[in-house]
Amino acid sequence: QVQLQESGGGSVQAGGSLRLSCAAHGATARSYCMAWFRQAPGSEREAVAAIFPGGAPTYYADSVNGRFTISQDNANNTLYLRMDTLKPEDTAVYYCAATSSVGGRYYRPLRPVQYNYWGQGTQVTVSS
């Protein structure tokens, strides 16, 4: 059974930084597609960043490209999301997700339904 545990959320002023962590238990993270999603009140859950072990390029949503960085520590089986230059519109609950469906180098799952393991979510609040 795969379990994902997020940490690192909180409140920050616009322009600040946060780093989210996602510890993966019961799975070797580097063998899974790993992603960060977020969901703001009244909005659908959207992919923010994702890593694909099949060889596809790392994904970043246009709204965070250049400000957020996804990375993976294979030794500690942990996924990270470094968030810099935060904006009020980044306020949301952030979720770590994983899927064992890796596919080839063109496979880039970005829809929530394509992920079968989820963390509990961590709140990020950015004030102006």
Side-chain angles (χ1 to χ4, degrees), residues 32-63:
Y32 284 63
C33 290
M34 301 290 296
W36 289 98
F37 285 78
R38 69 184 180 187
Q39 188 167 19
S43 298
E44 294 185 353
R45 192 169 296 190
E46 62 172 351
V48 173
I51 291 178
F52 312 107
T58 299
Y59 168 81
Y60 291 99
D62 289 343
S63 57

Side-chain angles (χ1 to χ4, degrees), residues 42-124:
S43 298
E44 294 185 353
R45 192 169 296 190
E46 62 172 351
V48 173
I51 291 178
F52 312 107
T58 299
Y59 168 81
Y60 291 99
D62 289 343
S63 57
V64 307
N65 195 23
R67 300 188 296 120
F68 289 13
T69 304
I70 189 172
S71 61
Q72 199 166 12
D73 181 344
N74 293 328
N76 292 310
N77 224 24
T78 302
L79 183 74
Y80 298 101
L81 184 69
R82 171 74 181 187
M83 305 185 293
D84 295 314
T85 320
L86 282 160
K87 304 176 181 180
E89 51 264 43
D90 295 319
T91 295
V93 177
Y94 284 70
Y95 298 90
C96 174
T99 176
S100 55
S101 298
V102 173
R105 61 182 175 143
Y106 299 112
Y107 184 63
R108 306 175 79 200
L110 298 175
R111 293 180 293 137
V113 69
Q114 294 176 295
Y115 287 80
N116 47 357
Y117 301 108
W118 292 86
Q120 82 287 354
T122 185
Q123 177 70 44
V124 171

